[in-house]
Amino acid sequence: MAKAIRFDRPGGPEVMQCESVEVGEPGPGEVRLRHHAVGLNFADTYFRSGLYPAALPAGMGVEAAGVIEAVGAGVSGFGAGDRVTYTGSPLGAYSTERVMSAAPLIKLPDDIGFETAAAMTMRGLTSAYLLRRITTLTPGDTVLLHAAAGGVGLIFTQWASLLGIDVIGTVSTDEKAEVARAHGCAHTIVYTREDVAARVRELTGGAGVPVVYDSVGATTFHQSLSSLRRRGLLVCFGTASGAVPPIDAMQLAIKGSLFVTRPALADYIADGTERAALAGELFDHVSTGRIKIQINQRYPLEDAVQAHRDLESGRSIGSSVFTLPATTY
């Protein structure tokens, strides 16, 4: 029997329960995977709260790393004993073992550990598509990134620095500002005491930035629009503070013929070739040490409720993972 975190109704962290589950054998196109580490992402709270719909009862989590124990009929490119990582639906990553489709799996290089993989696969691939696919950035460009000390933020800023892109990062505390700067942020704005848009204008000589990357949503949307230069692009890729408000198209014109997009990682890794290309770039940067993955919070799987409380309170810095005891390997 495997251990898994499951929930049968939307709500707060307390709706999650640790249960014993039967895993079974993989069917056609599936593998049985034993997890060594599991990723904790803010998107997990969206499924738990009901913001993202899920057929209930359900497992929790979309990211983990481990070893394939068995493969079903028709699986090609993977075999028992392979080290793999993944991110994506269906839910169920918060578990010691699971049967799942082989489609989202990514082979994990031997020099990248399981915890590192679980901490970076979603965040790293998100950073990859934001920087490499959404729009064309050139060395010397300056962009604004909200939540710069978060899991995506610390990878994004390091990667942007490698590309010659300056990042203005917003954070909630001086401690987080220091962390963000240590990971490549050119400038930080402590939004709890500074006017974000005014400070961005000051830092850019009044012009504003060509791109704002906003994972916060409701509370930052208007400041994000006001931080853009003429014909700038707002990339709304998360809703940590709530859904983005309805967009008034005329306001986009008034503020400088602005553009807004609401991308999802799933649409940038649905194609296996593109997923492999983005993962290859990410793994290369991490393997060589050009991008360092900072894991600041580790939890036993049974502490999922507390982990979600910490995540939603803003206490977390960098990436968080669930670690599994050696007896489950």
Side-chain angles (χ1 to χ4, degrees):
M1 299 291 286
K3 295 290 186 183
I5 303 298
R6 297 181 59 79
F7 68 116
D8 60 9
R9 66 189 188 281
E14 67 281 354
V15 302
M16 296 185 294
Q17 302 291 327
C18 186
E19 302 177 4
S20 295
V21 297
E22 191 75 42
V23 176
E25 294 301 318
E30 295 181 330
V31 302
R32 188 176 77 245
L33 179 63
R34 184 171 294 275
H35 290 151
H36 288 212
V38 174
L40 171 62
N41 297 287
F42 210 95
D44 300 343
T45 70
Y46 300 160
F47 287 105
R48 191 211 69 227
S49 68
L51 180 63
Y52 287 177
L56 301 177
M60 176 59 64
V62 296
E63 177 183 36
V67 174
I68 294 174
E69 292 197 319
V71 299
V75 173
S76 61
F78 295 98
D82 283 352
R83 304 172 77 250
V84 294
T85 186
Y86 67 90
T87 182
S89 297
L91 296 174
Y94 285 19
S95 59
T96 56
E97 190 176 354
R98 72 182 297 194
V99 167
M100 63 177 289
S101 169
L105 297 180
I106 304 168
K107 284 193 175 179
L108 186 63
D110 290 339
D111 57 358
I112 296 179
F114 292 113
E115 285 192 9
T116 298
M120 77 171 187
T121 300
M122 175 180 280
R123 298 168 179 89
L125 290 176
T126 296
S127 298
Y129 90 78
L130 291 175
L131 284 165
R132 307 292 282 161
R133 296 292 187 272
I134 289 286
T135 190
T136 300
L137 294 169
T138 58
D141 282 344
T142 298
V143 301
L144 175 65
L145 173 71
H146 291 290
V152 170
L154 296 186
I155 297 174
F156 181 102
T157 51
Q158 292 178 80
W159 203 327
S161 293
L162 295 173
L163 298 172
I165 309 301
D166 289 335
V167 177
I168 302 171
T170 71
V171 293
S172 59
T173 66
D174 290 321
E175 178 192 8
K176 290 186 176 182
E178 185 175 344
V179 171
R181 287 193 296 270
H183 286 77
C185 245
H187 307 279
T188 55
I189 300 172
V190 181
Y191 67 81
T192 51
R193 65 167 184 263
E194 298 180 85
D195 183 307
V196 172
R199 182 71 175 126
V200 168
R201 296 286 173 184
E202 179 183 339
L203 291 168
T204 58
V209 293
V211 188
V212 174
Y213 296 94
D214 190 338
S215 63
V216 179
T219 61
T220 52
F221 177 74
H222 294 292
Q223 289 270 29
S224 293
L225 287 180
S226 296
S227 298
L228 286 166
R229 74 182 186 193
R230 182 177 291 114
R231 292 161 53 187
L233 171 65
L234 171 55
V235 182
C236 300
F237 69 100
T239 52
S241 69
V244 171
I247 296 171
D248 181 345
M250 183 55 68
Q251 286 301 308
L252 300 183
I254 291 171
K255 287 181 174 291
S257 299
L258 305 179
F259 297 86
V260 179
T261 185
R262 203 321 183 177
L265 172 61
D267 292 316
Y268 287 84
I269 61 173
D271 178 79
T273 300
E274 187 167 24
R275 181 173 64 243
L278 290 174
E281 284 193 63
L282 172 64
F283 292 162
D284 182 56
H285 285 315
V286 173
S287 294
T288 58
R290 292 190 295 268
I291 291 178
K292 294 178 171 58
I293 306 302
Q294 183 171 345
I295 304 173
N296 285 322
Q297 294 81 214
R298 291 176 170 85
Y299 302 90
L301 194 61
E302 295 81 1
D303 285 353
V305 170
Q306 185 60 51
H308 274 224
R309 286 174 177 158
D310 290 347
L311 193 62
E312 291 180 300
S313 72
R315 288 194 292 268
S316 301
I317 296 177
S319 296
S320 303
V321 298
F322 293 104
T323 58
L324 305 180
T327 54
T328 69
Y329 291 6

